[in-house]
Amino acid sequence: MRHAYERFDLEHFFGFAKTHLLLTSIQTPELASEASWFRLACLAYHQLWMARHLVDHLPLPWQKHLLAKRDKKLTPRMIQRGFFRLIQQIGSRASPPKPRGISLGRAPGTQFESRPLRPLIKFHPSRPRCCCKESDNSKTVA
């Protein structure tokens, strides 16, 4: 029975991470970058889980029925909605950016190495074309 609960949690994590943490939005040919993006999404989810007791419930204007349910557990999406206020309260130690002028950009004549060609991955095997369609189109009606 414990495995069913774990699978339930995993399915909800992937559903939330794909839609709200942009888990599948990265498109890169580099596997290391994709693994780093997945770890970043997991860290963001973990941050939301750790902030569940620090965030207030902020229902959207059309969710008036949720105002009475303050003792209800907050969903990750509810926590994400109130996370911005928590970040504002904590503040940032970073100093504001300083203007540095106009950058020079790349040096004229800079050439980049082209990416090495990789084999094409097909998810579905190609189907043979139906020869009956070609023969039907070639007939002309007189």
Side-chain angles (χ1 to χ4, degrees), residues 40-99:
L40 186 66
C42 289
L43 283 173
Y45 188 79
H46 187 72
Q47 257 191 334
L48 290 175
W49 180 79
M50 298 219 10
R52 70 190 185 280
H53 299 299
L54 304 173
V55 173
D56 294 329
H57 176 51
L58 301 171
L60 295 170
W62 57 87
Q63 295 175 329
K64 294 179 182 175
H65 65 282
L66 292 177
L67 288 174
K69 298 182 179 182
R70 291 183 189 264
D71 57 342
K72 182 184 168 190
K73 284 186 178 179
L74 297 178
T75 63
R77 182 66 180 139
M78 292 176 181
I79 298 169
Q80 187 181 27
R81 205 176 300 135
F83 198 74
F84 180 70
R85 285 191 182 176
L86 178 66
I87 295 296
Q88 282 183 332
Q89 289 174 355
I90 293 173
S92 175
R93 295 185 63 192
S95 58
K98 299 176 183 175

Side-chain angles (χ1 to χ4, degrees), residues 2-15 45:
R2 184 179 62 117
H3 297 293
Y5 287 123
E6 289 176 5
R7 180 175 175 176
F8 180 80
D9 290 342
L10 277 173
E11 288 175 1
H12 278 272
F13 162 73
F14 281 112
Y45 188 79

